Structures are given as C-alpha cells and as structure tokens.
Amino acid sequence: MHLFRAISNAEHEDLLSNGFRPGTNSLEGKWFAESFENALSWGNLLYDGRNFLICSIELSDSVYSGLFRLTNLDGIGPAVYAEITDLQYATITNFSIVK
C-alpha cells in the first residue's frame, strides 16, 4: 500500500538520519494519508503556505490492514495511524518538495 505524509524540512532531515521516530511531545507513531492529494491538503493546512515535503512510503498489505484508520480525518479524507514499530517495515519511495 502506498501512503503519504506531509513533513517539514526538519522532519525530513531527521527521517534521513534516524528513520521514523516520535518527535518531542508527540504520539508514538505517525499519521499518513492514503493519497498524495490529501497529504498535500494536510501540508497546506499544517504549514500555512511554507515549504514542506510529501514523503511517500510503501507498506505491505498485511501491516496496513492492522493500522488504525479514519475515513475522514480533519474533514480532508482517509488516513491511517502507524506506530513506529509498524514503520520499521516501511520503504520510503519518494520525497516531493512542495513550495
């Protein structure tokens, strides 16, 4: 399953150095959109016009099927919550810079 996440430049740098891990004062996992377009909408909402990236990952169907899913997170669309332990099986496939 392809999943997408809007990330800041700082999260991008940390991800490249350390892999997926929880940030300071954050949950023990990450939210991912099920489409690039929805990740773009979340990025525009979260980063208010500032530069951000969309991280694309591939996750096996067996791991994906066990994730917590909401059909309309924040009124934007479907999203899944992956624990850091689930993300150890993720393959990062792309980073897209959004200006």
Side-chain angles (χ1 to χ4, degrees):
M1 178 68 163
H2 280 77
L3 299 171
F4 308 88
R5 177 174 170 80
I7 60 174
S8 66
N9 289 322
E11 185 176 353
H12 175 246
E13 290 175 18
D14 187 63
L15 180 55
L16 292 176
S17 298
N18 302 298
F20 287 107
R21 64 183 185 155
T24 305
N25 298 320
S26 71
L27 300 170
E28 293 293 318
K30 306 285 183 181
W31 282 100
F32 287 86
E34 293 185 343
S35 74
F36 182 91
E37 293 77 15
N38 287 348
L40 186 60
S41 293
W42 270 297
N44 287 326
L45 178 70
L46 294 169
Y47 300 109
D48 194 30
R50 297 174 304 218
N51 294 349
F52 62 95
L53 298 95
I54 303 291
C55 173
S56 304
I57 67 167
E58 179 70 28
L59 202 56
S60 71
D61 289 340
S62 62
V63 173
Y64 169 78
S65 66
L67 300 180
F68 177 73
R69 183 175 188 270
L70 293 176
T71 57
N72 196 21
L73 182 63
D74 297 330
I76 292 175
V80 294
Y81 180 77
E83 296 282 341
I84 297 302
T85 54
D86 297 319
L87 293 172
Q88 69 183 334
Y89 304 107
T91 301
I92 297 171
T93 58
N94 191 35
F95 291 103
S96 300
I97 299 172
V98 180
K99 296 186 180 201

